[in-house]
Amino acid sequence: MAASSDLEHLEGIDQYKYGFSDPDVSVFKTRKGLDEQVVREISQMKGEPEWMLEKRLEAYGHYVERPIPTWGPDLSSLNLDDIYYYVKPSEMESKSWDDVPESIKQTFDKLGIPEAEQKFLAGVGAQYESEMVYHSVLEHLEEQGVIFLSIEDGLRKHPDLFREYFGTIIPHTDNKFAALNSAVWSGGSFVYVPPGVKVELPLQAYFRLNVANIGQFERTLIIVDEGAQVHYVEGCTAPTYTTDSFHSGVIEIVVKKGARSRYTTIQNWSNNVYNLVTQRAMVHKNASHEWVDANIGSKVTMKYPSCYLMGEGARGEILSLAFAAEGQHQDTGGKVIHAAPNTTSKITSKSISKGSGRASYRGLLRVHENSVNSKSNVVCDALLLDERSRSDTYPYIEIDEDQVTVGHEASVSKVGEEQLFYLMSRGLSEEQAISMVVSGFIEPLVRELPMEYAVEMNRLIQLQMEGSIG
Amino acid sequence: MTEALEIRNLHVAIEDNEILKGVDLVVKQGEIHALMGPNGTGKSTLAKALLGHPDYEITAGEILFKGENIIEMDVDERARLGMFLAFQYPVAIPGVSVANFLRTAINAHRKAADPEDKGISIPDFRTLLKAKMDLLEMDHQFAGRYLNEGFSGGEKKRAEILQLATLEPAIAILDETDSGLDIDALRIVADGVNSLAGPDLGVLIITHYQRILNYIKPDFVHIMLDGRVAESGGPDLAEHLEEHGYNWLREKQSKATAG
């Protein structure tokens, strides 16, 4: 039975997620806009080693030279000079609850989130009682040798490991926004799973101390050593309210020989946000990586999780969902590079567009020469909810090897009149009928989410659907 | 109290093309009616118009159900009032399990009856669904399958009957439920309908074959020709039809018109 119907069994299951304490730190905020001095200040505030400052400066140099990409969504109203590039967490939290827009508060209420959690989600909460569950999870991980820290603590406590991998999966030269992130990054996670260790519970950013918000320029580095296993979950189905209009993250993942990893993101930014994220996994011999990526909200999202299949027998899978409501452009998809024999990949993309919303699938599949017996399958399905909504597909396929099997399917469907008549003839209102078709459409993705997220995801989609009937 | 579906002088057009030209028919709870007739005489149009399909425009006449004229009601309101249509071609809803769908539908009915209703609990729902599936000799696995997706013809029809059994309407219209069924499937569907029939359920079976009537015994038989109910009678009318076809009725009609 679908997760949505088990809702009442799950009430309270996610109560443990938010256990936070917030140290008293002095207030610091760089001035608006970005130059070399701001980059230096950020590095200095964080007490970083010289090599990191140099990396930041180098990235900044590249950022300045690199033009804003014009091949995708319209970014012309993105004003990069009108942004604070570094705000210390204490400053972010000093916002008042009164400043949070009424619509966001109402959505929290509809999702049934207690007020204390609402304040945290809106970035105005600070003190949270740590709970036993959270402590025991962390202790258990520590016993296994798993490192799970903020990215800053990762650099401070494990400088050699950090330096070995940081920026190697996504170099700052990758794209303009990766360069920007590499110059000003702040917040995010550092994860190391030792060889052979299987982390049973999904690691959630919520478990980690001292991270009250997903950083505007979050940076996450995950290293899954040989034969290890981990599932990392980031994000939150509740709307991530932020006064910042720009989020540009970089997620780097190394999956070593025979290891398995999965990274699940659910992002629901408020509708003023440009969400431009680079996330990539380097997958080695007989290892596998899966991205499960759901994007709801934001003004513009550009996000193409990628798998670089570097070793023989490596496997990559990308499952992405985008919901483009009124005024939103979701430009999402996936990228897979086959660079070794017997590698397999699968991209499944689902998008829903509503009103003037526009969802684009943009994908790249590249098979290098000598990647014999590689297999790939790409499926993109788009669902349009009304006459105005729009969906586009930009699949790029580049294959330099003959002995490969590649499949590509794309479909665009509308919520059909006959489907609605059928469902309504059983007593469902038009709104319920549409949302049932939509929840069925996204079911293949929701099924892959941890239970409490699946439940929240379904509720969230119901909320997005409200007011669909003209 | 026995409720009735009363169709009075119903005229229905699709894109200005008049299909139904004054249908009169009354179906009461506890009765089984068969509506027969050749293809293209408006039987399925009647079924869809009764439930309020948006493409079917009612140009004249009334549909009374439980004493109310339901012509202005939306499809879902009619359903919640106690009407049910078993579709000739059930529509697939990928990703939505039979169980999830039925639970949502039951809750929509309950909520309409009582706005404070919190919905059926999962254990209660499971018990109910299992009982209904057992009644229809269905494998319980069926509940977890996506609604009508990849179903065989017989499975689709059984799924329709399962919905009928679960939603417990006052009046059920079965639109060509026998078409596309082999004899075993037909028997199962017919047994299902027979087991549901009773004082609380009125049934209108639409068919252009006699054969389903070998398994479900109607109390009344009506024959539709050219958008009207041309003849009504008892079960013997169906047998007469089986023997003589529709021509005698056409001749009778044209004589009546000429006279």
Side-chain angles (χ1 to χ4, degrees):
Chain A
M1 199 181 287
S4 59
S5 48
D6 290 333
L7 214 97
E8 45 274 75
H9 289 350
L10 290 162
E11 275 172 19
I13 197 169
D14 49 2
Q15 299 295 311
Y16 61 85
K17 285 193 303 200
Y18 315 100
F20 286 89
S21 68
D22 191 55
D24 190 18
V25 286
S26 55
V27 169
F28 175 81
K29 180 154 75 176
T30 59
R31 61 181 174 75
K32 272 188 179 177
L34 187 58
D35 60 17
E36 207 176 289
Q37 190 51 38
V38 171
V39 176
R40 284 180 187 280
E41 278 175 29
I42 292 171
S43 186
Q44 195 189 355
M45 279 310 300
K46 290 175 176 291
E48 289 176 349
E50 187 64 23
W51 69 266
M52 183 47 83
L53 172 62
E54 278 163 22
K55 268 191 177 294
R56 284 183 184 271
L57 290 173
E58 201 184 340
Y60 172 72
H62 187 77
Y63 163 73
V64 171
E65 284 168 20
R66 195 98 180 227
I68 284 189
T70 52
W71 43 262
D74 181 11
L75 300 176
S76 58
S77 48
L78 175 62
N79 184 355
L80 293 168
D81 296 324
D82 192 34
I83 289 167
Y84 290 108
Y85 283 86
Y86 181 64
V87 182
K88 258 213 150 152
S90 60
E91 176 72 358
M92 294 203 285
E93 284 151 14
S94 67
K95 280 186 311 195
S96 155
W97 179 236
D98 295 334
D99 297 338
V100 178
E102 205 52 39
S103 63
I104 298 278
K105 290 180 186 169
Q106 279 170 6
T107 309
F108 283 142
D109 285 337
K110 287 181 189 168
L111 282 168
I113 297 169
E115 185 168 321
E117 278 182 36
Q118 294 186 13
K119 289 188 173 172
F120 160 69
L121 292 166
V124 297
Q127 297 291 333
Y128 280 83
E129 294 297 320
S130 296
E131 289 175 27
M132 290 313 293
V133 177
Y134 146 77
H135 273 305
S136 61
V137 168
L138 282 187
E139 274 170 24
H140 183 62
L141 289 174
E142 221 163 274
E143 281 164 19
Q144 292 178 300
V146 175
I147 300 169
F148 183 27
L149 296 168
S150 72
I151 190 86
E152 285 83 2
D153 284 348
L155 171 58
R156 204 154 33 235
K157 295 180 180 169
H158 304 276
D160 295 339
L161 191 60
F162 192 100
R163 194 173 180 175
E164 189 182 343
Y165 292 100
F166 181 88
T168 59
I169 297 105
I170 304 173
H172 67 260
T173 49
D174 192 79
N175 66 72
K176 184 173 179 78
F177 298 107
L180 176 61
N181 177 286
S182 301
V184 301
W185 63 265
S186 197
S189 293
F190 178 75
V191 176
Y192 172 77
V193 187
V197 171
K198 294 182 170 52
V199 181
E200 309 283 345
L201 280 172
L203 290 184
Q204 308 192 22
Y206 298 117
F207 284 157
R208 223 182 45 223
L209 276 166
N210 302 334
V211 179
N213 247 331
I214 300 165
Q216 203 182 344
F217 299 101
E218 63 170 318
R219 181 93 189 194
T220 285
L221 174 59
I222 298 175
I223 302 146
V224 193
D225 216 326
E226 293 187 4
Q229 261 184 45
V230 71
H231 180 190
Y232 184 91
V233 183
E234 180 239 35
C236 178
T237 51
T240 310
Y241 172 68
T242 165
T243 46
D244 308 316
S245 57
F246 185 44
H247 168 252
S248 184
V250 167
I251 316 293
E252 298 182 283
I253 301 179
V254 186
V255 194
K256 292 197 171 181
K257 193 171 135 189
R260 297 166 63 95
S261 72
R262 170 181 278 202
Y263 188 100
T264 298
T265 321
I266 300 171
Q267 285 183 333
N268 183 21
W269 297 100
S270 47
N271 294 349
N272 58 332
V273 172
Y274 284 86
N275 182 32
L276 314 175
V277 179
T278 311
Q279 43 189 58
R280 185 174 303 158
M282 202 67 88
V283 191
H284 294 282
K285 189 174 176 181
N286 293 328
S288 77
H289 179 77
E290 294 162 2
W291 295 104
V292 179
D293 195 59
N295 297 290
I296 295 162
S298 85
K299 182 176 183 185
V300 173
T301 289
M302 291 174 78
K303 199 200 249 185
Y304 324 98
S306 62
C307 293
Y308 283 45
L309 307 176
M310 308 305 290
E312 188 164 356
R315 195 179 73 84
E317 187 168 340
I318 299 159
L319 193 52
S320 85
L321 168 73
F323 193 121
E326 193 66 43
Q328 299 176 345
H329 187 176
Q330 303 279 5
D331 197 88
T332 60
K335 194 162 124 179
V336 178
I337 312 294
H338 289 259
N342 300 312
T343 47
T344 51
S345 67
K346 189 173 163 193
I347 301 178
T348 310
S349 159
K350 298 217 161 233
S351 73
I352 302 160
S353 317
K354 172 185 153 188
S356 64
R358 179 178 171 193
S360 311
Y361 167 79
R362 193 181 298 276
L364 172 67
L365 172 66
R366 180 179 292 151
V367 183
H368 284 278
E369 206 180 334
N370 300 327
S371 305
V372 289
N373 298 323
S374 290
K375 286 187 194 129
S376 178
N377 195 31
V378 180
V379 180
C380 5
D381 297 323
L383 183 67
L384 305 177
L385 295 187
D386 50 60
E387 295 304 316
R388 288 192 302 144
S389 48
R390 175 173 169 187
S391 153
D392 322 88
T393 308
Y394 306 99
Y396 299 94
I397 298 179
E398 298 167 10
I399 296 172
D400 296 325
E401 170 57 52
D402 294 333
Q403 288 186 58
V404 295
T405 314
V406 171
H408 177 87
E409 295 166 43
S411 77
V412 179
S413 51
K414 289 182 179 171
V415 177
E417 193 176 66
E418 293 308 314
Q419 281 181 318
L420 293 185
F421 178 61
Y422 185 68
L423 295 173
M424 288 172 73
S425 79
R426 302 305 186 239
L428 275 63
S429 67
E430 187 173 2
E431 204 160 273
Q432 282 180 310
I434 293 175
S435 91
M436 179 155 269
V437 173
V438 169
S439 70
F441 177 77
I442 63 168
E443 207 274 343
L445 183 135
V446 171
R447 192 169 54 197
E448 297 298 321
L449 298 175
M451 185 66 101
E452 70 269 30
Y453 285 86
V455 171
E456 287 181 15
M457 186 75 186
N458 274 317
R459 271 148 94 193
L460 187 67
I461 293 289
Q462 305 299 322
L463 281 179
Q464 291 284 325
M465 300 302 304
E466 277 183 12
S468 297
I469 317 298
Chain B
M1 182 185 157
T2 303
E3 303 287 358
L5 173 68
E6 299 178 53
I7 305 157
R8 291 184 189 157
N9 188 33
L10 189 68
H11 289 250
V12 173
I14 305 172
E15 291 173 352
D16 297 331
N17 186 15
E18 189 169 62
I19 310 287
L20 298 187
K21 300 165 183 172
V23 173
D24 290 286
L25 192 65
V26 178
V27 179
K28 291 184 182 148
Q29 277 184 308
E31 298 175 349
I32 298 180
H33 292 246
L35 180 66
M36 306 183 71
N39 279 330
T41 51
K43 299 190 303 296
S44 286
T45 298
L46 176 65
K48 288 188 174 172
L50 289 175
L51 261 292
H53 192 292
D55 288 352
Y56 295 71
E57 191 197 348
I58 293 174
T59 51
E62 290 182 321
I63 306 169
L64 299 174
F65 181 48
K66 297 189 174 177
E68 278 185 79
N69 190 351
I70 59 168
I71 279 175
E72 295 299 322
M73 283 187 187
D74 286 336
V75 182
D76 54 319
E77 289 176 88
R78 298 181 197 206
R80 293 194 300 263
L81 204 58
M83 286 178 73
F84 182 90
L85 172 63
F87 280 57
Q88 183 176 5
Y89 304 109
V91 183
I93 312 290
V96 176
S97 69
V98 170
N100 190 8
F101 164 63
L102 273 174
R103 188 161 166 257
T104 309
I106 286 175
N107 286 339
H109 283 257
R110 288 171 59 132
K111 191 102 183 161
D114 172 14
E116 298 300 308
D117 188 87
K118 296 284 179 241
I120 188 169
S121 74
I122 288 174
D124 287 353
F125 174 71
R126 285 191 178 144
T127 307
L128 173 77
L129 190 58
K130 275 180 188 164
K132 300 295 183 186
M133 286 193 291
D134 289 343
L135 182 74
L136 301 173
E137 297 172 49
M138 294 173 82
D139 188 338
H140 292 180
Q141 299 284 333
F142 201 78
R145 290 178 62 188
Y146 294 155
L147 186 60
N148 295 324
E149 197 182 45
F151 284 17
S152 69
E155 285 173 332
K156 280 184 185 170
K157 299 298 164 79
R158 286 169 78 177
E160 294 294 287
I161 302 303
L162 177 64
Q163 293 174 45
L164 166 60
T166 313
L167 296 175
E168 299 179 342
I171 299 291
I173 301 150
L174 312 184
D175 187 11
E176 305 279 2
T177 294
D178 48 339
S179 69
L181 294 189
D182 61 33
I183 201 74
D184 291 334
L186 181 66
R187 187 174 290 138
I188 290 163
V189 166
D191 286 351
V193 174
N194 286 328
S195 65
L196 299 172
D200 296 329
L201 178 65
V203 181
L204 177 62
I205 300 169
I206 293 176
T207 179
H208 65 274
Y209 295 115
Q210 150 79 17
R211 61 174 198 159
I212 193 171
L213 303 181
N214 294 332
Y215 302 96
I216 303 175
K217 291 292 169 209
D219 304 306
F220 305 94
V221 174
H222 312 273
I223 298 167
M224 197 156 181
L225 276 183
D226 192 29
R228 286 186 192 89
V229 175
E231 188 82 19
S232 294
D236 50 321
L237 182 58
E239 284 155 32
H240 187 78
L241 209 57
E242 181 80 342
E243 251 172 75
H244 303 283
Y246 293 105
N247 280 342
W248 63 274
L249 194 57
R250 285 206 175 93
E251 281 162 23
K252 185 177 158 185
Q253 250 194 339
S254 58
K255 271 181 201 159
T257 319

XYZ file of all heavy atoms in Angstrom, chain A residues 42-77:
297
model
N 36.142 35.852 4.706
C 35.430 34.609 5.001
C 36.423 33.575 5.519
O 36.210 32.942 6.563
C 34.708 34.074 3.737
C 33.566 35.007 3.332
C 34.162 32.664 3.987
C 32.936 34.679 1.983
N 37.518 33.424 4.814
C 38.517 32.415 5.175
C 39.092 32.707 6.556
O 39.285 31.816 7.378
C 39.614 32.383 4.116
O 40.500 31.322 4.376
N 39.311 33.988 6.802
C 39.888 34.411 8.085
C 38.920 34.146 9.238
O 39.301 33.638 10.285
C 40.220 35.899 7.992
C 41.132 36.365 9.111
C 41.267 37.894 9.125
O 40.747 38.588 8.235
N 41.952 38.403 10.118
N 37.647 34.482 9.015
C 36.622 34.251 10.031
C 36.541 32.780 10.418
O 36.266 32.428 11.556
C 35.241 34.680 9.514
C 34.935 36.146 9.584
S 35.259 36.848 11.207
C 34.134 35.865 12.214
N 36.769 31.941 9.440
C 36.678 30.511 9.682
C 37.995 29.938 10.201
O 38.056 28.740 10.512
C 36.278 29.783 8.386
C 34.851 30.052 7.956
C 34.560 29.409 6.606
C 33.118 29.591 6.196
N 32.164 28.838 7.026
N 39.020 30.773 10.272
C 40.310 30.326 10.777
C 40.928 29.227 9.936
O 41.450 28.233 10.436
N 40.844 29.399 8.623
C 41.287 28.344 7.720
C 42.793 28.365 7.477
O 43.432 29.403 7.562
C 40.576 28.507 6.365
C 39.110 28.158 6.435
C 38.386 28.404 5.122
O 38.970 29.045 4.221
O 37.242 27.956 5.004
N 43.328 27.206 7.090
C 44.747 27.172 6.707
C 44.960 27.940 5.396
O 44.016 28.152 4.627
C 45.041 25.682 6.527
C 43.714 25.031 6.318
C 42.715 25.877 7.044
N 46.207 28.289 5.177
C 46.577 29.107 4.019
C 46.153 28.455 2.688
O 45.653 29.116 1.787
C 48.100 29.331 4.051
C 48.622 30.304 3.020
C 48.098 31.748 3.203
O 47.695 32.104 4.330
O 48.091 32.490 2.200
N 46.334 27.139 2.613
C 46.031 26.471 1.332
C 44.568 26.604 0.931
O 44.238 26.706 -0.242
C 46.465 25.002 1.335
C 45.671 24.082 2.246
C 46.001 23.738 3.523
C 44.461 23.391 1.944
N 45.067 22.880 4.044
C 44.105 22.637 3.097
C 43.634 23.316 0.824
C 42.959 21.842 3.159
C 42.496 22.508 0.891
C 42.158 21.788 2.045
N 43.714 26.648 1.953
C 42.294 26.790 1.649
C 41.993 28.189 1.143
O 41.218 28.378 0.202
C 41.452 26.441 2.884
C 39.952 26.491 2.630
S 39.394 25.662 1.128
C 39.289 23.996 1.678
N 42.626 29.177 1.774
C 42.444 30.548 1.302
C 42.883 30.651 -0.158
O 42.204 31.263 -0.987
C 43.246 31.527 2.163
C 43.286 32.977 1.630
C 41.889 33.590 1.586
C 44.224 33.853 2.467
N 44.020 30.028 -0.459
C 44.513 30.090 -1.839
C 43.518 29.453 -2.813
O 43.292 29.979 -3.898
C 45.886 29.420 -1.948
C 46.993 30.371 -1.515
C 48.293 29.646 -1.211
O 48.471 28.520 -1.725
O 49.108 30.203 -0.449
N 42.952 28.342 -2.383
C 41.958 27.688 -3.239
C 40.757 28.600 -3.474
O 40.229 28.706 -4.574
C 41.470 26.379 -2.582
C 42.264 25.166 -3.011
C 41.558 23.903 -2.530
C 42.274 22.643 -2.984
N 42.255 22.439 -4.436
N 40.344 29.248 -2.386
C 39.196 30.157 -2.506
C 39.502 31.294 -3.484
O 38.684 31.644 -4.329
C 38.845 30.747 -1.136
C 38.118 29.782 -0.189
C 37.768 30.505 1.099
N 37.147 29.652 2.112
C 35.820 29.430 2.219
N 34.979 29.996 1.379
N 35.356 28.662 3.183
N 40.705 31.840 -3.345
C 41.064 32.986 -4.194
C 41.174 32.573 -5.663
O 40.734 33.293 -6.558
C 42.377 33.616 -3.714
C 42.257 34.357 -2.377
C 43.632 34.795 -1.886
C 41.312 35.558 -2.487
N 41.733 31.404 -5.859
C 41.853 30.895 -7.217
C 40.460 30.711 -7.836
O 40.214 31.084 -8.984
C 42.574 29.544 -7.164
C 43.222 29.130 -8.474
C 43.823 27.724 -8.365
O 44.073 27.253 -7.223
O 44.008 27.111 -9.425
N 39.576 30.158 -7.047
C 38.203 29.942 -7.513
C 37.537 31.286 -7.810
O 36.834 31.441 -8.810
C 37.404 29.169 -6.465
N 37.778 32.241 -6.929
C 37.188 33.570 -7.134
C 37.644 34.155 -8.471
O 36.855 34.702 -9.241
C 37.561 34.519 -5.986
C 37.121 35.931 -6.273
C 35.772 36.263 -6.238
C 38.043 36.917 -6.640
C 35.342 37.541 -6.556
C 37.627 38.190 -6.960
C 36.278 38.508 -6.922
O 35.853 39.763 -7.262
N 38.937 34.011 -8.749
C 39.490 34.506 -10.014
C 38.768 33.892 -11.203
O 38.419 34.584 -12.175
N 38.519 32.610 -11.110
C 37.836 31.931 -12.211
C 36.386 32.387 -12.327
O 35.863 32.595 -13.423
C 37.889 30.412 -11.996
C 37.362 29.643 -13.163
N 38.089 29.451 -14.312
C 36.158 29.044 -13.379
C 37.366 28.764 -15.176
N 36.180 28.500 -14.634
N 35.772 32.574 -11.165
C 34.377 33.022 -11.120
C 34.216 34.359 -11.851
O 33.281 34.562 -12.630
C 33.934 33.156 -9.662
C 32.700 33.983 -9.464
C 31.446 33.489 -9.824
C 32.782 35.267 -8.930
C 30.305 34.253 -9.662
C 31.650 36.044 -8.759
C 30.415 35.538 -9.131
O 29.288 36.300 -8.974
N 35.150 35.264 -11.601
C 35.071 36.594 -12.199
C 35.173 36.512 -13.725
O 34.445 37.191 -14.449
C 36.193 37.497 -11.632
C 36.262 38.806 -12.394
C 35.966 37.741 -10.154
N 36.046 35.628 -14.180
C 36.258 35.530 -15.630
C 35.122 34.812 -16.354
O 34.850 35.083 -17.513
C 37.559 34.762 -15.919
C 38.800 35.586 -15.671
C 40.056 34.717 -15.685
O 40.004 33.602 -16.246
O 41.056 35.157 -15.101
N 34.491 33.908 -15.655
C 33.529 33.033 -16.313
C 32.183 33.741 -16.512
O 31.633 34.313 -15.569
C 33.318 31.805 -15.422
C 32.644 30.655 -16.109
C 33.635 29.644 -16.585
N 32.939 28.547 -17.234
C 33.180 27.265 -17.001
N 34.117 26.921 -16.129
N 32.514 26.326 -17.635
N 31.648 33.728 -17.732
C 30.352 34.384 -17.948
C 29.195 33.580 -17.339
O 29.338 32.386 -17.097
C 30.221 34.418 -19.474
C 31.067 33.288 -19.956
C 32.181 33.119 -18.951
N 28.093 34.258 -17.118
C 26.889 33.565 -16.649
C 26.372 32.685 -17.789
O 26.293 33.133 -18.931
C 25.816 34.589 -16.216
C 26.228 35.165 -14.856
C 24.419 33.970 -16.145
C 25.191 36.024 -14.192
N 26.081 31.423 -17.504
C 25.630 30.538 -18.598
C 24.297 31.005 -19.186
O 23.409 31.440 -18.461
C 25.474 29.173 -17.921
C 25.366 29.455 -16.467
C 26.126 30.722 -16.216
N 24.188 30.922 -20.495
C 22.970 31.385 -21.157
C 22.243 30.246 -21.847
O 21.214 30.453 -22.476
C 23.319 32.447 -22.221
O 24.341 31.897 -23.063
C 23.814 33.724 -21.598
N 22.745 29.024 -21.705
C 22.139 27.886 -22.403
C 20.892 27.360 -21.706
O 20.162 26.561 -22.250
C 23.154 26.757 -22.574
C 23.990 26.477 -21.364
C 25.246 26.938 -21.129
C 23.633 25.699 -20.212
N 25.702 26.484 -19.908
C 24.740 25.730 -19.327
C 22.495 24.975 -19.836
C 24.728 25.072 -18.091
C 22.490 24.320 -18.606
C 23.601 24.381 -17.755
N 20.679 27.810 -20.477
C 19.552 27.268 -19.722
C 18.521 28.319 -19.389
O 18.217 29.191 -20.213
N 17.978 28.262 -18.201
C 16.938 29.215 -17.807
C 17.450 30.665 -17.790
O 18.658 30.908 -17.723
C 16.584 28.775 -16.386
C 17.065 27.386 -16.264
C 18.235 27.260 -17.173
N 16.515 31.562 -17.824
C 16.832 32.985 -17.807
C 17.349 33.404 -16.428
O 16.634 33.327 -15.436
C 15.539 33.751 -18.138
C 15.758 35.250 -18.160
O 16.943 35.672 -18.133
O 14.757 35.985 -18.207
N 18.609 33.838 -16.388
C 19.201 34.262 -15.118
C 19.430 35.768 -15.108
O 20.147 36.290 -14.257
C 20.539 33.534 -14.892
C 20.487 31.997 -14.824
C 21.891 31.424 -14.703
C 19.626 31.540 -13.658
N 18.828 36.473 -16.076
C 19.173 37.890 -16.253
C 18.758 38.759 -15.067
O 19.360 39.805 -14.842
C 18.559 38.413 -17.548
O 17.155 38.248 -17.518
N 17.759 38.343 -14.296
C 17.406 39.200 -13.160
C 18.095 38.780 -11.864
O 17.782 39.276 -10.788
C 15.879 39.256 -12.986
O 15.321 37.971 -13.028
